[in-house]
Amino acid sequence: MNIGDVSALSGVPAKTIRYYEDIGLIAPPRSANGYRVFGEADLHRLTFLGRARSLGFSIDDCRALLQLYEDNTRASADVKQIAQKHLARIDAKVEELTAMHRTLSHLIHACAGDNRPDCPILEDLATSPGPTRRSKA
Amino acid sequence: MNIGDVSALSGVPAKTIRYYEDIGLIAPPRSANGYRVFGEADLHRLTFLGRARSLGFSIDDCRALLQLYEDNTRASADVKQIAQKHLARIDAKVEELTAMHRTLSHLIHACAGDNRPDCPILEDLATSPGPTRRSKA
DNA sequence: CTTGACCTTCCAGTTAGTGGAAGCACTATC
DNA sequence: GATAGTGCTTCCACTAACTGGAAGGTCAAG
């Protein structure tokens, strides 16, 4: 298989596949003309990577997961731990975004959005920093 | 005021302040010794930037908001539009993360997490992109 | 033989900074 | 005046994970 074929089959862009080779996630051999030659194993790795990345795992996580994936003596606890840490990061991010959402939607609601200059959004942005003082209490 | 002073007052790191000058968000004059000299207006701009960034606005958004902030003839509608677009991006991100959370917590729950190799998480990651539909945003 | 699709490498750009080195400037102390 | 310590300056490199594009080699078809 050439790079275009595995790309189509795995859903991972050719450019990304080359990048993954660069950083050592895959190591396809080359044919006489210099083209990368991919086998079934490479296709599986790339599919695995595509799925893991789509779940938000970092490249470093992917590297570790891939190693466990190909280690038949692995302990599922190791996989679970990586996933749990990742889930915690996701939750933290969601919380952060949710806080932004709250503040922002509140401000948007308070803003007339007409052609006058008065704007609670700008007023909030201009407030001094310090201990997050979003509610007057 | 020197950079250390505005940094302490605005909460924006000195390094970041220099970066903001680099990309044209502020333009403090220099004193004879080459030090940047900050006035009240600069302090306000930096405070504004710090708050806007903490709400997740991009640097480009900040540039636009800052311009509106200092334009007394602005229409609050323009501010509101920027905020609404940003809110939409936040919502999209939250949805994406929530989808990840769902899948991941389901898989984690199904994984024994012991010293045996059987692992639903790895099994899912190894699935072709067909069955479990993922959408790219 | 030429066209076009596919492959190659390498360079640059993306976001929003952060870390660190080398070197002046200022203040205080001895 | 010499020295120490802190703060300021610039510049370069690095982060995450690609993506775009240029310049050029390869291959199958017509």
Side-chain angles (χ1 to χ4, degrees):
Chain A
M1 271 189 292
N2 282 345
I3 200 168
D5 305 318
V6 267
S7 173
L9 289 172
S10 67
V12 178
K15 209 100 204 211
T16 302
I17 295 174
R18 293 195 192 96
Y19 171 69
Y20 285 170
E21 186 192 33
D22 245 32
I23 62 174
L25 282 177
I26 51 168
R30 304 298 183 107
S31 70
N33 59 16
Y35 287 17
R36 291 169 184 82
V37 180
F38 298 85
E40 284 301 313
D42 294 307
L43 176 55
H44 284 142
R45 288 177 78 94
L46 286 170
T47 301
F48 184 97
L49 286 168
R51 177 91 178 116
R53 292 289 301 128
S54 84
L55 285 178
F57 284 104
S58 71
I59 290 291
D60 264 8
D61 280 346
C62 287
R63 213 182 289 274
L65 289 171
L66 213 42
Q67 217 156 21
L68 290 167
Y69 174 55
E70 284 164 358
D71 174 8
N72 288 346
T73 74
R74 70 184 165 245
S76 68
D78 293 341
V79 181
K80 190 168 183 171
Q81 198 200 8
I82 292 174
Q84 276 172 330
K85 275 192 180 156
H86 178 44
L87 184 59
R89 279 191 300 267
I90 287 175
D91 287 350
K93 192 75 190 166
V94 167
E95 241 178 272
E96 187 188 340
L97 289 173
T98 302
M100 289 178 185
H101 175 106
R102 256 198 313 275
T103 303
L104 213 51
S105 60
H106 172 70
L107 291 173
I108 287 172
H109 185 73
C111 175
D114 53 21
N115 61 349
R116 287 171 304 170
D118 316 82
C119 180
I121 301 171
L122 291 181
E123 275 165 29
D124 177 281
L125 293 178
T127 56
S128 77
T132 334
R133 54 184 316 272
R134 49 200 40 151
S135 139
K136 189 55 191 299
Chain B
M1 269 191 292
N2 282 346
I3 199 168
D5 306 318
V6 269
S7 172
L9 290 172
S10 67
V12 178
K15 209 100 204 210
T16 302
I17 295 174
R18 293 196 192 95
Y19 171 68
Y20 284 171
E21 185 192 34
D22 244 33
I23 62 173
L25 283 177
I26 52 169
R30 304 298 182 106
S31 71
N33 59 14
Y35 287 18
R36 291 171 183 81
V37 179
F38 298 86
E40 285 300 315
D42 294 306
L43 176 56
H44 285 143
R45 287 175 78 94
L46 286 169
T47 301
F48 184 97
L49 286 168
R51 177 92 178 112
R53 292 288 302 127
S54 84
L55 284 179
F57 283 103
S58 72
I59 291 288
D60 263 10
D61 281 345
C62 288
R63 211 182 290 272
L65 289 171
L66 212 44
Q67 216 156 21
L68 290 168
Y69 174 54
E70 285 164 358
D71 175 8
N72 288 347
T73 74
R74 69 181 164 249
S76 68
D78 292 341
V79 181
K80 190 168 184 169
Q81 197 199 10
I82 292 173
Q84 276 172 330
K85 273 191 181 159
H86 178 44
L87 185 60
R89 278 191 300 267
I90 287 175
D91 287 350
K93 192 76 190 167
V94 166
E95 241 178 273
E96 189 188 338
L97 289 173
T98 301
M100 288 179 185
H101 174 106
R102 255 199 312 276
T103 303
L104 213 49
S105 61
H106 172 70
L107 291 174
I108 287 172
H109 185 73
C111 174
D114 53 20
N115 60 351
R116 288 172 303 168
D118 316 82
C119 181
I121 300 171
L122 291 181
E123 274 165 30
D124 176 281
L125 292 178
T127 56
S128 73
T132 321
R133 264 282 148 241
R134 66 202 169 96
S135 59
K136 188 67 220 287

